[in-house]
């Protein structure tokens, strides 16, 4: 198994699991073990690396969009509300589509798609028609090798903006929205080395959106505090494990302060950084995952009121669920099989039973896997 692979637009990294001593770990047992039905797979475009879930056709049922890196497309799969999906519809994007995000960028109440195109150095915006179909793409220039994007109103003008990680130029691009579905030219800010993902959240609780990037080649997350007008302060870096991918923000210890969870592809762990509430973070605590973890979500999977972690493991073709203790620490993982080489994951109630389910994009067999939550 190779270690320390060089970054590429394709699924990155391999790793050898190592046993870690985790602060706060104990042999505590769960009252109700977390369980899922065996995976059900649905065909996507070629080599989906990223997945997003939302109701794109306003029928009250969760739908899914995948970014297909080899097909230069996004696939949209409409949900039937029972955990199953209709056959995909594909939409053309730019070269080597690496990520897709769902949000309403033109304020018409209809979900739109934003895709990051790694080779084209662009993002594609596909405006939604409100019935689950989308208009042809309009492209906007980013930095070099955009890897992923996030949507939020970063300048607090009521219009959705786009933030993009540029892995080839070690930066994030901010494209302010006009409110009509078009965007102003990018403004770039320095991030860590080879940033893979960005999360937008108010990490210092001042009412102004901030940015957090996961930096694959510098083994850090960068925090860029927002000024509230769409500009950002210079980054502050915090160490993670080796080769972090997708950073997720949530309150894992229920103290009202945003925390970070970051999977580390080259040491088979997820790092948890507890927030101090002022935009700074405590040193990481690492938890063992499957092999080569790619993305993570924070959600209460077993509905006990304590946030849990869900991690997709690229080289063990699984997701790991780490039940939370409610104090920012987590029990040992339980693994569930997915399709081959899952990239990102989303957590949503796919069958309307009140339980959070999991869906993954599977790079090597061009599918998505649906795992329906059956935890009592």
């Amino acid at each position: 198994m190779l270690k320390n692979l060089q970054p590429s637009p394709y699924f990155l990294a391999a790793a050898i699991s190592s046993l870690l001593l985790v602060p706060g770990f104990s042999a505590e047992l769960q009252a109700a073990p977390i369980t899922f039905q065996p995976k059900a797979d649905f065909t996507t475009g070629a080599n989906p690396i990223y997945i997003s879930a939302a109701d794109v056709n306003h029928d009250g049922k969760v739908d899914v969009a995948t970014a297909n890196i080899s097909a230069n497309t996004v696939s949209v799969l409409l949900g039937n509300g029972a955990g199953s999906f209709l056959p995909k519809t594909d939409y053309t994007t730019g070269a080597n589509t690496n990520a897709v995000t769902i949000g309403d960028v033109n304020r018409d109440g209809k979900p739109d798609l934003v895709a990051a195109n790694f080779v084209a150095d662009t993002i594609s915006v596909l405006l939604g028609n409100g019935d689950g179909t989308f208009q042809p793409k309009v492209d906007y220039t980013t930095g070099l090798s955009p890897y992923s994007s996030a949507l939020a109103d970063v300048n607090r003008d009521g219009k959705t903006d786009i933030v993009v990680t540029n892995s080839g130029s070690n930066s994030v691009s901010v494209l302010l929205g006009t409110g009509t579905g078009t965007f102003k030219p990018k403004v770039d800010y320095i991030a860590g080395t080879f940033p893979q993902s960005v999360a937008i959240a108010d990490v210092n609780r001042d009412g102004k959106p901030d940015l957090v990037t996961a930096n694959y080649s510098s083994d850090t997350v960068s925090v860029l505090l927002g000024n509230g007008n769409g500009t950002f302060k210079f980054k502050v870096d915090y160490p993670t494990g080796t080769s972090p991918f997708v950073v997720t923000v949530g309150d894992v210890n229920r103290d009202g302060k945003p925390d970070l969870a970051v999977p580390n592809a080259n040491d088979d762990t997820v790092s948890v950084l507890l927030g101090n509430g002022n935009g700074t973070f405590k040193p990481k605590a690492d938890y063992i995952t499957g092999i080569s973890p790619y993305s993570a979500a924070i959600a209460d999977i077993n509905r006990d009121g304590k946030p849990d972690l869900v991690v997709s493991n690229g080289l063990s073709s699984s997701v790991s669920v780490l039940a939370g203790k409610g104090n920012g620490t987590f029990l040992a993982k339980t693994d569930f099989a997915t399709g081959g080489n899952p990239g990102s994951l989303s957590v949503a109630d796919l069958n309307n039973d009140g339980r959070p389910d999991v869906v993954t994009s599977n790079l090597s067999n061009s599918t998505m896997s649906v795992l329906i939550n059956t935890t009592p």
Side-chain angles (χ1 to χ4, degrees):
M1 191 72 68
L2 295 176
K3 290 279 289 180
N4 299 321
L5 297 184
Q6 292 301 309
S8 79
Y10 296 92
F11 189 80
L12 298 176
I16 299 173
S17 292
S18 59
L19 208 57
L20 299 179
L21 294 176
V22 179
F25 179 82
S26 74
E28 178 183 340
L29 297 177
Q30 295 172 238
I34 292 172
T35 58
F36 289 87
Q37 292 179 14
K39 70 181 177 72
D41 292 341
F42 298 86
T43 300
T44 67
N47 304 120
I49 193 170
Y50 202 94
I51 197 164
S52 293
D55 179 8
V56 300
N57 61 348
H58 297 297
D59 65 353
K61 303 167 185 175
V62 176
D63 312 304
V64 169
T66 66
N68 310 312
I69 195 167
S70 296
N72 305 327
T73 61
V74 292
S75 295
V76 176
L77 293 86
L78 298 179
N80 68 359
S84 186
F85 292 83
L86 299 178
K88 69 183 176 73
T89 300
D90 292 336
Y91 296 87
T92 300
T93 52
N96 289 105
T97 302
N98 221 47
V100 61
T101 309
I102 302 172
D104 182 7
V105 300
N106 60 347
R107 300 187 297 178
D108 65 353
K110 303 171 184 177
D112 311 305
L113 304 179
V114 177
N117 307 309
F118 187 90
V119 170
D121 298 337
T122 61
I123 54 168
S124 296
V125 176
L126 295 82
L127 296 180
N129 297 314
D131 58 358
T133 66
F134 295 85
Q135 297 172 26
K137 71 182 176 78
V138 176
D139 291 338
Y140 296 86
T141 300
T142 65
L144 299 179
S145 306
Y147 211 92
S148 68
S149 65
L151 306 178
D153 179 9
V154 299
N155 61 347
R156 302 182 296 174
D157 65 352
K159 304 167 185 176
T160 300
D161 310 307
I162 302 174
V163 180
V164 186
T165 56
N166 305 306
S167 58
S169 49
N170 301 328
S171 65
V172 290
S173 292
V174 177
L175 294 84
L176 296 179
T178 64
T180 63
T182 63
F183 294 85
K184 297 176 182 178
K186 69 182 178 73
V187 176
D188 292 340
Y189 297 87
I190 296 171
T193 307
F194 208 83
Q196 300 288 280
S197 66
V198 60
I200 304 173
D202 182 9
V203 298
N204 61 348
R205 303 182 297 174
D206 65 352
K208 304 170 185 176
D210 310 307
L211 306 181
V212 185
T213 67
N215 309 310
Y216 181 90
S217 294
S218 54
D219 301 337
T220 59
V221 290
S222 296
V223 177
L224 293 80
L225 296 180
N227 296 313
N229 59 358
T231 66
F232 296 86
K233 295 180 170 61
F234 193 79
K235 70 181 177 75
V236 177
D237 293 338
Y238 297 86
T240 63
T242 306
S243 307
F245 259 116
V246 177
V247 61
T248 304
V249 182
D251 182 8
V252 299
N253 60 348
R254 303 180 296 177
D255 66 352
K257 303 171 185 176
D259 310 307
L260 307 179
V262 193
N264 306 303
N266 270 339
D267 62 12
D268 304 339
T269 63
V270 58
S271 294
V272 175
L273 293 81
L274 297 180
N276 296 313
N278 60 359
T280 66
F281 293 86
K282 294 179 171 64
K284 69 183 177 75
D286 291 338
Y287 298 84
I288 296 170
T289 64
I291 302 173
S292 196
Y294 183 94
S295 72
I298 299 170
D300 184 6
I301 298 297
N302 58 359
R303 300 182 300 169
D304 65 352
K306 303 171 185 176
D308 310 309
L309 296 180
V310 186
V311 182
S312 60
N313 306 306
L315 292 184
S316 50
S317 298
S318 65
V319 293
S320 296
V321 180
L322 295 82
K325 298 180 183 180
N327 61 357
T329 65
F330 296 86
L331 300 176
K333 69 183 177 75
T334 302
D335 292 339
F336 301 90
T338 66
N341 297 111
S344 78
L345 61 81
S346 287
V347 175
D349 183 4
L350 303 177
N351 62 347
N352 292 315
D353 67 351
R355 299 182 180 97
D357 308 305
V358 177
V359 60
T360 67
S361 56
N362 305 315
L363 188 73
S364 66
N365 55 10
S366 300
T367 63
M368 69 177 196
S369 291
V370 173
L371 289 81
I372 297 297
N373 188 352
T374 55
T375 305

